[in-house]
Amino acid sequence: MQREIYFDNHATTRTDPRVVDTMLPWMVTEFANPGSITHEPGRRVAAKMDECRDNIQQILNAPDSDLIFTSGATESINLALFGTALHPKQKRRKIVSAATEHRAVLDPLHRLQKSGWEIVHLQIEASDPGRIGEIDLASAEKEIDDSTALVCLMLGNNEIGTIQPFDKIAQLCRDRGALLHIDASQAIGKLSVDFESLGADLLSFSSHKFYGPKGIGGLLIKRETASRRLLPQIIGGGQQNNLRSGTLNSVGIVGMASAIQYAVEELNRESQRLANLRDRLWHRLQTGIEGLLINGPDWRDEGDAVHRLPGNLNICFPRVEGQSLMLRTPLLAVSSGSACTSAEPHPSHVLLAIGRSEDQARSSIRFGLGRFNTPDEVDQAADWLIQAYRDLASFVA
Ligand SMILES: Cc1ncc(COP(=O)(O)O)c(C=O)c1O
């Protein structure tokens, strides 16, 4: 029997069995509440939480920060956005972001806009092939000003893989007194993520994107700039210095700390391996199908200066819908360029923002290659897709 092939590692990753092993004792033996420091079992779990926190901060080079454990990047981003915007001492009324951000950013911004905030989306590079999806610096220069409370941008794009260079943007934020929030959900384990060098004040991440468990993530908060400027969003119990109440997810935290350790230790080898798999998939598909378009930054002539996450490939298949291709390749788990968030599938807002038409967005498929994928799977998936494409294209020819 043929096996399923999972190429949707931007949506989530399989929890690494090594990570599961580290978690089990903290579920069945050391299960005490880390807030119960009146007894020894509670103190042991509390000490483990401190150790995990320290390790994660060290790995992300964030020594002068607080790390708040959350349920994932969506919650971290909500805390960063609403926490900054609603703080009583907040005098500024503008947030700068981009139309290519994840819905975890765009939806909270939409709510803030409805309550009177000025929300500005920066222009996106849509013509230089190697830099598609990057922020246009001239528009950042113009829009990040003295009324800007926060700039909120992602490090690695979850659909088209664009890697955002942050040096100039971080400098602009510093010069104009705006906080910088970076959504690093897709970057950890694929790029070296260094909180200090990025110049971030806030940084969000989710463990299930780097082979850790679901339901756990973090928000790094630079002590000097951001920690006294955040209004807690979940209250009741006062855990985590009152910034995020609720019993710590101790099992998840142990898993996330272990997952980030593996992801960073194996980063160089793994990102090269993923880039090779991505290249292999692209070449196989291209030899079988004419007229494919790459959505997002073209990596092929960029040498070492590639601006795309290594395991990401997003392709527009001419004349056929991504969802039709997916229906004809039922054993392949990928994601199409339209999101079924309602009865009507909407074309991807990211593909539209980089200048693709609605039809092109609907004809697109996102591939997210990951740790457990192999060259054989790439070859098999390419064969399935080429066959499905030819069948479908013969109807529309
Ligand atoms: C870039 C980005 N930001 C935020 C999120 C939200 O993460 P979670 O669903 O784990 O809260 C995701 C998940 O798809 C993402 O890809």
Side-chain angles (χ1 to χ4, degrees), residues 41-113:
R43 284 195 288 273
R44 282 199 300 274
V45 183
K48 183 68 180 176
M49 298 299 93
D50 290 344
E51 179 195 313
C52 290
R53 191 180 263 117
D54 288 350
N55 289 347
I56 295 171
Q57 281 176 271
Q58 210 178 335
I59 286 171
L60 297 176
N61 190 27
D64 302 318
S65 69
D66 294 313
L67 170 56
I68 301 299
F69 292 123
T70 64
S71 60
T74 303
E75 186 192 328
S76 301
I77 294 166
N78 270 258
L79 175 56
L81 290 175
F82 290 116
T84 306
L86 305 180
H87 193 277
K89 294 218 175 100
Q90 184 57 263
K91 298 284 178 292
R92 300 177 174 210
R93 300 295 289 169
K94 177 174 178 182
I95 296 180
V96 172
S97 188
T100 42
E101 293 299 302
H102 192 271
R103 292 276 305 271
V105 167
L106 296 177
D107 290 359
L109 289 183
H110 188 60
R111 182 184 281 190
L112 285 169
Q113 190 171 36

Side-chain angles (χ1 to χ4, degrees), residues 10-11 72-74 77 102 104 154 156 158 183 185-186 206 208-209:
H10 296 301
T74 303
I77 294 166
H102 192 271
M154 54 173 43
N158 52 303
D183 176 0
S185 304
Q186 295 290 342
S206 248
H208 71 102
K209 306 286 188 189

Side-chain angles (χ1 to χ4, degrees), residues 211-228:
Y211 309 94
K214 295 178 182 53
I216 182 73
L219 177 66
L220 278 172
I221 307 172
K222 196 172 172 107
R223 226 168 269 142
E224 180 195 320
T225 53
S227 63
R228 281 190 305 279

Side-chain angles (χ1 to χ4, degrees), residues 33 35 68 234-248:
N33 188 327
I68 301 299
I234 297 183
I235 52 175
Q239 290 91 340
Q240 306 201 69
N241 295 330
N242 269 320
L243 270 174
R244 199 275 194 179
S245 286
T247 299
L248 288 181

Side-chain angles (χ1 to χ4, degrees), residues 155-171:
L155 182 50
N157 187 280
N158 52 303
E159 293 199 32
I160 53 170
T162 307
I163 299 170
Q164 184 61 47
F166 269 100
D167 40 355
K168 298 222 171 58
I169 289 170
Q171 187 59 49

